Amino acid sequence: MATPVTTATLDLAARFPGAVSADARPGYKGWIVEKDKLIEVSTAIRDEFGYDHLTAVTGVDYLPEGKMEVVYHAFKTTGGPVLTFKVQVPRVDPVEVPSVTPVWPGAEFQEREAWDLLGIKFTNHPDLRRILLWEGFEGHPLRKDWKEAFYEEDAKPFKSRWPEGKHVMAEEKNPFKDNINFPKDFDPEQWVPEGEAALYGALARYQVQEGSLKTDHIVINMGPQHPSTHGVFRAAVTVDGETVVSLKPVMGYLHRNHDKIGERNTFLQNMPFTDRLDYFNSMSNNFGYAVAVEKLMNIQVAERAEYIRVIMAELSRIQNHLVFIGMLGNDLGMMYTPALYAFEERELILDIFEAVAGSRMMCNYYRFGGVVRDLPEGVLEKIKGLVFERLPGKADELDRMLTENEVFVARMKGIKVINAEDAIRYSITGPVLRAAGVPYDIRRADPYSIYDRFDFDIPTRPNGDLMDNYLLRLDEIRQSLRILQQAIKQIPEGPVMTGKPQYQVRVPAGESYGRVESPKGELAFYVVSNGKPNPFRYHVRPASFVNITALEKMCVGTKIADFIAILGVIDIVLGELDR
Amino acid sequence: MDNEQLNSPGYDIPDELKNVVSITTLDRLYNWGRRSSVWPLMFGLACCAIEMIAAQASRYDMARFGMEVMRPTPRQADMMLVSGTVTKKMVPLIVRLYNQMPEPKYVVAMGACASGGGPFKEGYNVVAGIDKFLPVDVYIPGCPPTPQALIHGMIKLQEKIDKESLSKVRWYDRKKEDSVYIPVPVLGPDLMDPRRFAEIKAIAAAKEG
């Protein structure tokens, strides 16, 4: 188990005089680094200060100040609080910032996302292409002066809905009568699509080896409609025979503009949108967003609500891992049988969600300062029955059915996913990191809510192969059951909300980075408020998206059939990956 | 004509043929075959796909209605279940999949997003409903629709199939060669529907600024 390291007072400004200064804006923390010194300072942060895990990279467009800011959040894998550092550049095109991929390769996709949505050019980036949108898209949508086709006002509630209360279809206001917008004098007949030359160009080139057989590589395109890609994920793969030589993931087929819609919404209106991020675990998503905004509002959560939150989040983790095991079976060709076992138990957990929140999947249950309503009568008894009697037995049943199944073992044992060192470099979090042997779990490393009150282990596995990833999920189900059993015994009576329920919450100006251990890894929300009812910047750091950065690293050298299994154990979910 | 009338033709049926021969119309036989083996295309777009899987799985078991055979290739599918948000980046592929499906084919829009954009309608990358491109037979409301709602929608589709007539369905119309080919949209500065090229050009020319 990782012991929390006592952090020595970290003074970057003293270490780099002139290059680093403390962020003095009210409500902000961290350090502002000069653009030219970024790589030098980053290397020192990683090597001297031990912040080996860069989890989030994102940008903020401070239009009123005429600045663009790139925000980095770094952690130690041994535990401890966040180190935030920022780079500020004038908002004049081209907005250029050096890429930190030489220091932390895990930043690659997040920098691509910042380029795509904010138009921040990262110099020295190995493969700077658009990631969520397509090449040729007009503009960078998260810039504050960019307006979508259905633009009405900067912030909700829109005046046409309230107080005027006259609703007009969004199509009526747009000259094209649809959700599209084109520059003046645009002629679609003359348009030459960029195509996918950039994507296929990024794949490794084939070189004939001296004295070897004259073979050729084949480029295979998998997805977005493919039964094994867990949704609309796509990958372009070059194979030599059956061995993967090069691989580029393509995403954005479910990009639902979460960040942009989130900046128009009020703080509370974002809660139901977070449900639709990782749609298996709406409870965990609510948790992350609530933690982030509560940090900013600086309020305490009602005691009973804390327990209810933990109970719901852990139930959510159990059903996620059950489905994971079932779907992994599907990916490996054990069509449906394990999945049917998994879904049987999942339905029982969804019944509880439906009873407390009113919806099976999109729970929208957490509020700032508590949860929306108390547990209905009889639900606690039901949960008790599940976690003390039914689920432990069912976890053992899955274990007996699969763990020693010869075909299952033959497909999984010894197929390396990633080793510990690379996993940390690539910013991987969650079960994939722990299966590689790193005991890093935010519930223990940087405790939030009331996780410090429970007695549970952080399971790890030594080999980091497919089998370990599967076994780790079983371990985690058992640990979650342990937490649940304690929480049910300890849960107190009392109110489930601090203060009165509010339609419009007051959030002081400042920034906050709230993170939770979602079943897929670190789910974090970076929220910037300027004191208005809407977040100025609302960014989601999803686990799936960052974990997929290392996909090429994981897959090169394995067989194409194993690529499916590796994608399966990363446990991506597209709602969260594309947002 | 209902079953009662069909089976009382007005003349004597020999005893040995009673309960052996059944008389029906060609339409009814054809519709019965179609409605009992609707094979959905195996593809999920978003959250709704999870409820679609749940509807196939242990508790709800859609196999009871002859719809459990999900085909991963459009060439073998009869029905496209658009289960989730349709984005601009995805819609060219959905239209291509639809064009690749052999007729007769049906489209079901599952959930608020596929029906009309849902909570994400205002997003810059979201198509406000798949019916802007494909002819939709059944809309299922919900976000996401529960498995019960999905099954109800499927039963509605079966009822629609029951009422079809061979002489009227569009896929046996000799006048039209390829009755439902949808031109594939193109990704430009924004999503471009080839059917609207002239209109887009005219409006863009008239635009201010």
Side-chain angles (χ1 to χ4, degrees):
Chain A
M1 201 191 86
T3 46
V5 181
T6 46
T7 39
T9 41
L10 176 84
D11 196 350
L12 278 181
R15 170 72 179 74
F16 296 99
V20 180
S21 56
D23 193 344
R25 291 170 289 181
Y28 287 76
K29 270 177 277 177
W31 307 92
I32 295 177
V33 181
E34 286 301 311
K35 179 182 142 186
D36 306 329
K37 297 277 182 185
L38 179 65
I39 296 299
E40 195 188 321
V41 175
S42 308
T43 314
I45 286 172
R46 185 191 64 183
D47 297 340
E48 285 175 36
F49 298 98
Y51 287 86
D52 48 358
H53 206 240
L54 182 78
T55 62
V57 181
T58 187
V60 188
D61 177 14
Y62 286 100
L63 178 66
E65 286 97 2
K67 275 187 296 195
M68 281 272 198
E69 189 177 273
V70 183
V71 188
Y72 304 85
H73 290 93
F75 291 89
K76 294 177 178 173
T77 43
T78 46
V82 63
L83 173 71
T84 313
F85 57 102
K86 296 153 193 171
V87 175
Q88 291 186 336
V89 280
R91 201 178 174 284
V92 186
D93 277 321
V95 180
E96 283 187 335
V97 174
S99 166
V100 293
T101 45
V103 189
W104 290 287
E108 184 184 341
F109 282 11
Q110 299 188 69
E111 288 186 342
R112 271 178 71 185
E113 187 198 307
W115 157 243
D116 189 358
L117 301 184
L118 282 152
I120 300 168
K121 219 174 195 139
F122 291 92
T123 48
N124 278 334
H125 188 282
D127 183 21
L128 194 66
R129 290 178 286 123
R130 281 191 182 262
I131 189 163
L132 295 177
L133 294 161
W134 58 90
E135 298 292 338
F137 186 83
E138 178 84 6
H140 300 284
L142 279 186
R143 290 196 171 190
K144 289 284 173 189
D145 50 0
W146 192 93
K147 294 189 171 55
E148 62 267 41
F150 281 167
Y151 173 80
E152 192 169 333
E153 271 173 65
D154 273 336
K156 285 179 191 169
F158 295 147
K159 290 198 187 67
S160 64
R161 321 287 166 87
W162 186 86
E164 289 161 25
K166 276 188 215 123
H167 180 246
V168 183
M169 290 290 278
E171 281 89 346
E172 298 302 316
K173 295 182 184 165
N174 181 293
F176 298 95
K177 305 287 175 219
D178 202 352
N179 190 8
I180 47 176
N181 206 358
F182 294 97
K184 187 172 164 53
D185 292 330
F186 174 73
D187 184 1
E189 305 280 356
Q190 306 298 320
W191 176 261
V192 184
E194 296 248 347
E196 318 238 270
L199 165 67
Y200 294 118
L203 288 169
R205 289 293 149 81
Y206 175 61
Q207 275 142 2
V208 182
Q209 310 271 306
E210 274 297 312
S212 71
L213 281 176
K214 270 193 184 164
T215 56
D216 201 356
H217 288 180
I218 297 173
V219 177
I220 298 177
N221 188 60
M222 276 187 62
Q225 184 257 341
H226 188 280
S228 296
T229 50
H230 295 239
V232 284
F233 182 77
R234 175 181 163 203
V237 193
T238 315
V239 286
D240 176 11
E242 274 195 62
T243 312
V244 176
V245 184
S246 178
L247 181 149
K248 290 285 168 203
V250 189
M251 50 203 106
Y253 293 100
L254 191 55
H255 178 45
R256 300 192 277 198
N257 330 119
H258 203 87
D259 292 13
K260 188 81 180 175
I261 295 177
E263 287 169 16
R264 301 245 187 273
N265 283 344
T266 62
F267 281 94
L268 193 56
Q269 277 176 335
N270 273 336
M271 193 59 90
F273 279 88
T274 63
D275 289 339
R276 287 152 182 85
L277 282 170
D278 172 359
Y279 33 74
F280 279 103
N281 303 296
S282 57
M283 290 288 191
S284 304
N285 304 342
N286 284 180
F287 207 166
Y289 182 55
V291 164
V293 177
E294 279 156 8
K295 251 188 199 174
L296 205 52
M297 291 167 71
N298 203 11
I299 51 170
Q300 276 293 316
V301 181
E303 185 71 5
R304 183 175 169 83
E306 290 275 31
Y307 279 91
I308 295 176
R309 283 180 173 196
V310 167
I311 289 172
M312 292 306 153
E314 293 306 316
L315 280 175
S316 182
R317 190 184 314 277
I318 292 172
Q319 60 91 14
N320 178 77
H321 285 351
L322 286 170
V323 173
F324 163 85
I325 293 169
M327 290 294 161
L328 183 65
N330 274 8
D331 289 345
L332 296 177
M334 318 162 86
M335 283 312 254
Y336 305 130
T337 309
L340 291 179
Y341 277 79
F343 269 84
E344 196 183 346
E345 304 315 309
R346 180 174 182 261
E347 289 293 338
L348 298 173
I349 296 176
L350 293 195
D351 282 348
I352 290 169
F353 291 169
E354 197 172 2
V356 300
S359 173
R360 287 157 49 87
M361 280 170 66
M362 303 305 165
C363 298
N364 185 18
Y365 185 52
Y366 293 32
R367 292 290 180 274
F368 311 127
V371 294
V372 65
R373 61 184 82 80
D374 204 348
L375 300 175
E377 217 171 296
V379 166
L380 204 59
E381 293 305 310
K382 253 189 174 172
I383 301 174
K384 225 178 244 177
L386 272 182
V387 301
F388 282 99
E389 279 151 37
R390 184 166 175 117
L391 289 176
K394 289 291 169 180
D396 294 342
E397 185 185 73
L398 268 180
D399 196 356
R400 279 200 306 279
M401 181 168 78
L402 295 172
T403 309
E404 283 174 16
N405 180 316
E406 212 165 301
V407 181
F408 201 61
V409 174
R411 272 302 297 277
M412 308 241 292
K413 201 137 198 157
I415 308 290
K416 195 89 183 166
V417 178
I418 198 157
N419 62 28
E421 196 185 319
D422 284 334
I424 294 170
R425 283 177 57 233
Y426 278 95
S427 306
I428 288 175
T429 48
V432 184
L433 180 65
R434 291 191 285 276
V438 184
Y440 180 71
D441 187 316
I442 298 163
R443 291 175 293 174
R444 191 49 67 65
D446 184 13
Y448 54 96
S449 187
I450 50 164
Y451 277 105
D452 47 357
R453 296 184 200 171
F454 301 113
D455 178 28
F456 66 102
D457 297 327
I458 305 298
T460 58
R461 290 274 166 179
N463 302 320
D465 60 358
L466 291 173
M467 194 69 191
D468 273 6
N469 272 281
Y470 152 73
L471 289 171
L472 188 96
R473 259 61 174 221
L474 274 179
D475 297 343
E476 289 203 348
I477 291 178
R478 295 193 172 115
Q479 294 303 328
S480 289
L481 286 171
R482 262 178 84 185
I483 298 177
L484 280 166
Q485 288 167 358
Q486 296 167 48
I488 289 169
K489 281 184 192 152
Q490 295 171 13
I491 184 168
E493 292 294 325
V496 290
M497 186 87 183
T498 321
K500 271 190 193 155
Q502 277 175 305
Y503 168 67
Q504 192 101 284
V505 291
R506 289 216 157 272
V507 181
E511 60 167 3
S512 121
Y513 184 78
R515 57 181 198 149
V516 294
E517 183 72 30
S518 92
K520 266 109 184 163
E522 172 177 335
L523 174 72
F525 290 81
Y526 177 65
V527 183
V528 178
S529 164
N530 55 0
K532 295 207 177 116
N534 309 71
F536 182 76
R537 176 85 174 95
Y538 166 79
H539 172 75
V540 188
R541 184 264 186 219
S544 306
F545 180 68
V546 184
N547 286 357
I548 217 80
T549 312
L551 188 66
E552 182 170 21
K553 172 94 191 154
M554 292 172 183
C555 293
V556 168
T558 60
K559 300 275 184 268
I560 183 91
D562 296 330
F563 158 58
I564 301 291
I566 290 173
L567 192 66
V569 300
I570 303 175
D571 197 11
I572 59 166
V573 58
L574 265 292
E576 183 185 68
L577 205 148
D578 289 341
R579 284 152 292 148
Chain B
M1 226 191 281
D2 60 23
N3 268 331
E4 198 66 26
Q5 282 174 297
L6 273 175
N7 290 311
S8 321
Y11 47 83
D12 285 338
I13 299 171
D15 276 348
E16 64 269 28
L17 283 183
K18 270 184 185 164
N19 298 324
V20 177
V21 177
S22 180
I23 305 169
T24 184
T25 61
L26 189 56
D27 270 349
R28 192 174 293 209
L29 184 69
Y30 174 84
N31 290 342
W32 170 78
R34 293 226 65 76
R35 62 113 68 195
S36 313
S37 63
V38 179
W39 287 7
L41 178 64
M42 188 193 225
F43 90 128
L45 290 178
C47 334
C48 288
I50 310 304
E51 287 296 56
M52 180 179 80
I53 297 169
Q56 303 268 359
S58 319
R59 188 185 281 181
Y60 299 98
D61 192 14
M62 218 146 74
R64 295 177 292 161
F65 307 95
M67 295 167 180
E68 80 282 17
V69 193
M70 307 276 280
R71 306 314 297 184
T73 160
R75 304 284 183 201
Q76 299 172 347
D78 307 295
M79 190 255 288
M80 178 182 256
L81 191 61
V82 184
S83 53
T85 316
V86 182
T87 62
K88 289 179 185 171
K89 197 168 176 179
M90 189 66 195
V91 75
L93 300 145
I94 296 175
V95 171
R96 266 167 66 185
L97 285 169
Y98 181 79
N99 287 338
Q100 286 171 357
M101 280 166 63
E103 293 193 303
K105 54 187 168 185
Y106 306 95
V107 178
V108 175
M110 179 183 182
C113 294
S115 305
F120 300 99
K121 182 179 175 183
E122 63 199 280
Y124 50 84
N125 192 27
V126 175
V127 176
I130 189 64
D131 55 3
K132 303 239 176 201
F133 291 92
L134 308 183
V136 176
D137 294 283
V138 177
Y139 296 87
I140 306 174
C143 188
T146 57
Q148 296 96 319
L150 175 60
I151 290 172
H152 181 72
M154 296 288 116
I155 292 171
K156 284 287 160 205
L157 179 67
Q158 289 185 327
E159 284 171 11
K160 181 169 182 175
I161 296 172
D162 281 340
K163 292 191 182 109
E164 276 174 358
S165 164
L166 278 173
S167 58
K168 286 181 191 138
V169 289
R170 59 168 193 252
W171 37 86
Y172 295 123
D173 193 342
R174 270 194 210 150
K175 280 168 232 149
K176 293 182 198 161
E177 285 235 323
D178 200 350
S179 62
V180 283
Y181 176 79
I182 314 276
V184 179
V186 186
L187 292 175
D190 210 327
L191 186 72
M192 303 188 290
D193 186 345
R195 295 171 294 189
R196 295 182 59 189
F197 271 8
E199 188 192 341
I200 289 172
K201 189 179 174 185
I203 298 172
K207 223 177 139 186
E208 291 164 25

